Amino acid sequence: MPVSGTGSPGRAPPPVEGAHEEEEPGSPHEALDLGLSLGVGAAAREVPAPRLVQVGSSSSGEEEEEEEEEDAQGPSLPSCPVCMSAWSAEGEHRVSCIPCGHVYGRSCLERWLVQCGKKTATCPQCGKVFRQKHIINLYAPEIVVPNNDLEKQVLSLRDKNESLENQQKKLVEEIKEYKRQILLQQHLINKSSSKRQKMTGQLSNAAAMAESVASLRADGDSSGPCKFVPQNEFFLDGARVMGIDASSQIILASGRAAGVSVEHVLTKISMFSRQQTKVHLPPNTKALKDICIVPGGLAVFASLGKKLLLFSMTTNNVVLQYDLPAPGWSCSGVQNGANHIYAGLQNGMLLVFDTRQTKAPLHSLMGLSTHPVHTIHTVVDCSGFTKVISASSVGPCIWDVDGSENRPSLLTGTENQGVCISLACAPPSSDLIVATFRPKVELSGDGTSSQVAISQSPTLSSSGKLGCHALMRRASSTSFVKEQICNGSVSELRMSKSAIIPCSGNSQHLFAYGDESLHGVRTWQLPSFQAFTDLMPHRRPILDLRFAESSGGEKYLGCLSEEKLQVFGVTDH
C-alpha cells in the first residue's frame, strides 16, 4: 500500500477489514506492509512523519479540504494516538504501525488489543487490521555485549573488598584487645613496683639490722668462740648445691644452666681470684643432689640420673662413674684417704663402693624406710671403726659399714620429733650431732590432716614453719643421747643443710643453719643453743650450707642461695 509524503495530493482507499483478517503471514500484502514500515521507520528517524488521514468511500469533500488545510499548516511532531504522549528518542514509544507508520508505544497497542477483545484490532490512526505479531520495534533496543573479563574483575574486587573489610574488623578488635592488655599490664606493673619498693625497704632494714648485729657480735664480742669474716661473694644463676675444697680454695657449685631447661652445669670457682669455669657433666647426669670433697683433689657427685661420679678437680673430668639402682640423694667419702665412697639413694638404701672396683658396689644395705637418704656423714668412732650417720625423714640413723649387712639403728630420742630434714656432725669424731625437724603431717581416718609431735607450731611465713634443732651427744660407739632442743624457722618443703663449726682453743662449737625467716645463716653456741650471730641475708632462701677446714687449719663457711654464693672465713679469738 503506498504511503503519501507530506502534502500528498491523494489517498488510497482503506482496505476491507475482513480481508485483512484472512491474510496469513508471508503473503504479498505482509511483505509490502513490512517494506512500507521500514521505509516509514527510516523517514520517521529523519523527520517527524506527517499525520495520515484515512480516506473511505463515504468521505466527503469537506474532509479533503480539512486535510489540505492541516497540510498547509506544516508538519507536527508525532504523538501516540492512544495515550497522546509525544514521541521521543527515549522511552517506550518506539514501535510503528506497519500500514501507516505512525509511532505508538508497545504497551499502548497491546492495551488496544485487549480493549478490542480480539486477536486482531484496527489501527487507531489508519484503521488497518493488525495482530500481536505485527507490533514491531521501530528502533532496536540497546544491546549489551557481556565482558567476561570485566565481570571476573568486578567479582574479584568485590571479594577483595569483603576480605579487606573483615581484616579491618579483626584489626580493630585486636587493637582494642592490645589496648586492654596494655592497660592491664601497666596496672600490674604499677602494683608490682609498689610492692617491690615496699619489700626493698623492708629487706634493707632487715639487712642493716642483721649486718649491725653480726658486726657487733662478730667483731666486738670478745667472749665469743670465733668470728666470721666475709671473704668473697659470687652471683650465680640457678645454683642448688655446693662443695668447698679448703686446701686448694676451690668451690664447686651445681645448678640448672641459664636458658636451658634440662641441662645442669657444674661451675668451678676460684675462691679468691674469682675465676669461674663451666664444666659440662656427662649426658643423663641430671641434677646433682650432693657434692662431697675427698682427699687427693677429688669430688664425689650423687645425681638424680642414677649416677655416682668421681670428679677430678685438676683435670675437670669425670674419672669414675657408677650406675645406681635408684636416683642418688647424698654421698660421702672417708677423710683419712681410704678408697671407700658412699651413696644414699632415693629408695632408702645405702651403697658402699671401692674406687678400685668399677663394676658393682661392695655392699648394698637396706634402710629403715623407703624414704630418700638425704644426708650422709662418714665418721670414725673411738675404736677406729668407720661408721656412717645418715638422715632420712624417719630420723637420724647409724650404720655399720665394715662388712656387716645389718640394717641401721635409729638414734634414741628422735622417734617422735617430726620429719628429719637436716643433720650436722662435728668433725672428725662426730661426738656431737644436731638433727633438724619440721612438723609432721599425717592423714587421719576421715581423710583430714592432723599434726603430731610439734605439729601445733604456727606458720611463721609463706615459706617457713616453726621447727626444732635437737642436740645429741655420743654415749657409745653406736648410741647418742639427746641433750637440748632449740626452735627455729625451717623449710616446709626442702631437705636443708646445716653445719657444726669447731672453734679451737676453748673446745666450743657453733651450730649454723639457713633460717627461713631471715633468708640468711643463723648461728647458735653449743651445747646451750644460745644465739650467737646472724650473717648477711640473701634475697632468696639458703639452699646449701658447707663448712670446710684445710690441712693448714684455715676454716671457711659457704652459704648458697639460688642467685648468690657467700664465703666467710672463720677465725678464733
Side-chain angles (χ1 to χ4, degrees):
M1 178 183 294
V3 180
S4 314
T6 305
S8 176
R11 302 288 184 191
V16 181
E17 182 179 353
H20 274 281
E21 291 179 355
E22 295 176 356
E23 288 178 357
E24 296 298 329
S27 65
H29 293 286
E30 272 191 9
L32 177 61
D33 293 342
L34 179 59
L36 291 174
S37 66
L38 293 174
V40 173
R45 285 193 296 271
E46 295 176 359
V47 294
R51 185 176 182 182
L52 301 179
V53 179
Q54 181 180 4
V55 179
S57 60
S58 59
S59 300
S60 63
E62 295 178 356
E63 293 179 34
E64 293 180 357
E65 293 177 357
E66 291 177 358
E67 182 181 358
E68 290 177 356
E69 292 178 357
E70 291 177 358
D71 294 339
Q73 293 175 357
S76 62
L77 293 175
S79 60
C80 179
V82 179
C83 66
M84 303 307 293
S85 298
W87 179 88
S88 63
E90 304 293 335
E92 66 171 1
H93 292 85
R94 295 186 179 185
V95 296
S96 171
C97 174
I98 294 176
C100 64
H102 201 88
V103 178
Y104 297 91
R106 175 181 286 276
S107 60
C108 296
L109 291 179
E110 289 175 349
R111 286 199 303 271
W112 185 255
L113 283 172
V114 173
Q115 290 178 5
C116 292
K118 299 178 181 179
K119 294 184 178 179
T120 61
T122 58
C123 175
Q125 182 67 21
C126 64
K128 285 275 294 185
V129 176
F130 68 92
R131 299 183 181 185
Q132 177 74 30
K133 65 182 181 179
H134 293 148
I135 302 174
I136 62 174
N137 287 333
L138 181 61
Y139 294 106
E142 294 182 359
I143 299 176
V144 179
V145 178
N147 191 328
N148 294 332
D149 294 337
L150 291 177
E151 183 178 1
K152 291 179 181 179
Q153 185 177 1
V154 170
L155 295 176
S156 175
L157 292 175
R158 183 183 302 170
D159 294 339
K160 288 182 180 179
N161 184 50
E162 292 178 357
S163 175
L164 290 174
E165 288 179 353
N166 294 333
Q167 290 181 5
Q168 183 184 14
K169 291 180 181 179
K170 291 181 180 179
L171 289 175
V172 171
E173 294 297 328
E174 290 180 359
I175 291 173
K176 291 181 180 179
E177 179 65 19
Y178 287 149
K179 289 182 178 179
R180 189 186 68 81
Q181 292 181 2
I182 289 172
L183 292 176
L184 179 60
Q185 290 178 359
Q186 186 65 37
H187 174 72
L188 294 176
I189 289 173
N190 294 337
K191 188 176 180 181
S192 176
S193 177
S194 177
K195 288 183 178 181
R196 190 181 299 111
Q197 291 177 358
K198 185 177 179 181
M199 292 179 63
T200 301
Q202 293 176 351
L203 288 175
S204 298
N205 294 335
M209 292 177 61
E211 188 172 0
S212 176
V213 171
S215 177
L216 177 63
R217 290 182 174 177
D219 298 332
D221 188 2
S222 58
S223 62
C226 57
K227 64 179 180 180
F228 297 93
V229 180
Q231 300 293 312
N232 223 327
E233 187 174 82
F234 306 90
F235 292 94
L236 304 175
D237 186 13
R240 292 292 186 274
V241 64
M242 64 176 292
I244 300 178
D245 184 359
S247 298
S248 61
Q249 297 179 342
I250 294 295
I251 299 175
L252 299 177
S254 177
R256 180 172 294 176
V260 183
S261 59
V262 296
E263 185 180 6
H264 290 77
V265 176
L266 183 70
T267 303
K268 182 180 177 182
I269 304 171
S270 178
M271 193 181 300
F272 295 105
S273 68
R274 302 182 65 87
Q275 181 182 358
Q276 298 186 17
T277 303
K278 298 293 184 180
V279 179
H280 291 268
L281 299 175
N284 300 322
T285 299
K286 296 185 179 180
L288 298 186
K289 292 294 290 182
D290 198 8
I291 298 177
C292 176
I293 306 298
V294 295
L298 299 174
V300 183
F301 302 152
S303 79
L304 293 181
K306 300 182 181 180
K307 305 290 183 182
L308 184 69
L309 308 176
L310 192 63
F311 178 79
S312 172
M313 289 186 288
T314 303
T315 62
N316 295 336
N317 290 320
V318 174
V319 296
L320 190 58
Q321 177 176 305
Y322 294 102
D323 293 327
L324 304 176
W329 273 62
S330 57
C331 58
S332 182
V334 179
Q335 299 299 319
N336 59 7
N339 297 308
H340 291 176
I341 56 177
Y342 307 89
L345 306 187
Q346 183 174 288
N347 59 5
M349 294 180 63
L350 177 69
L351 301 186
V352 183
F353 293 90
D354 190 330
T355 57
R356 295 166 296 184
Q357 300 180 8
T358 60
K359 291 185 178 180
L362 289 178
H363 307 292
S364 298
L365 308 178
M366 299 300 298
L368 298 179
S369 70
T370 57
H371 298 292
V373 179
H374 57 76
T375 307
I376 293 179
H377 293 285
T378 307
V379 299
V380 179
D381 62 14
C382 55
S383 302
F385 295 103
T386 301
K387 305 291 183 185
V388 171
I389 300 178
S390 71
S392 63
S393 61
V394 297
C397 299
I398 187 166
W399 305 69
D400 183 5
V401 292
D402 282 342
S404 175
E405 297 291 336
N406 295 330
R407 302 182 72 180
S409 302
L410 186 67
L411 298 187
T412 305
T414 62
E415 296 85 356
N416 298 319
Q417 291 297 324
V419 178
C420 182
I421 61 173
S422 180
L423 180 66
C425 294
S429 62
S430 299
D431 290 337
L432 292 178
I433 63 174
V434 177
T436 301
F437 300 87
R438 68 166 171 241
K440 184 177 181 180
V441 178
E442 291 183 352
L443 294 178
S444 59
D446 58 358
T448 60
S449 61
S450 62
Q451 306 279 355
V452 296
I454 56 173
S455 59
Q456 301 302 322
S457 300
T459 299
L460 294 179
S461 66
S462 60
S463 61
K465 277 189 173 296
L466 185 63
C468 71
H469 309 291
L471 171 65
M472 290 175 284
R473 189 180 298 273
R474 182 187 294 273
S476 66
S477 60
T478 57
S479 63
F480 287 78
V481 176
K482 184 171 63 177
E483 289 190 352
Q484 293 285 345
I485 290 180
C486 171
N487 291 329
S489 177
V490 301
S491 172
E492 291 184 285
L493 302 174
R494 295 187 308 276
M495 301 299 178
S496 306
K497 299 294 183 180
S498 56
I500 293 180
I501 303 170
C503 299
S504 59
N506 49 13
S507 300
Q508 294 185 355
H509 294 80
L510 295 178
F511 171 66
Y513 184 80
D515 190 89
E516 288 291 313
S517 62
L518 178 64
H519 286 185
V521 177
R522 177 163 289 172
T523 61
W524 294 265
Q525 296 187 51
L526 296 178
S528 63
F529 273 119
Q530 179 182 353
F532 178 64
T533 187
D534 294 338
L535 303 182
M536 290 181 292
H538 295 212
R539 292 195 305 171
R540 302 285 184 88
I542 301 299
L543 301 179
D544 201 356
L545 181 68
R546 301 294 174 121
F547 170 76
E549 184 174 2
S550 70
S551 56
E554 296 89 357
K555 301 175 184 177
Y556 301 100
L557 178 68
C559 54
L560 177 72
S561 64
E562 188 175 349
E563 60 183 5
K564 186 166 61 175
L565 167 63
Q566 288 177 333
V567 181
F568 297 90
V570 183
T571 60
D572 300 324
H573 280 294

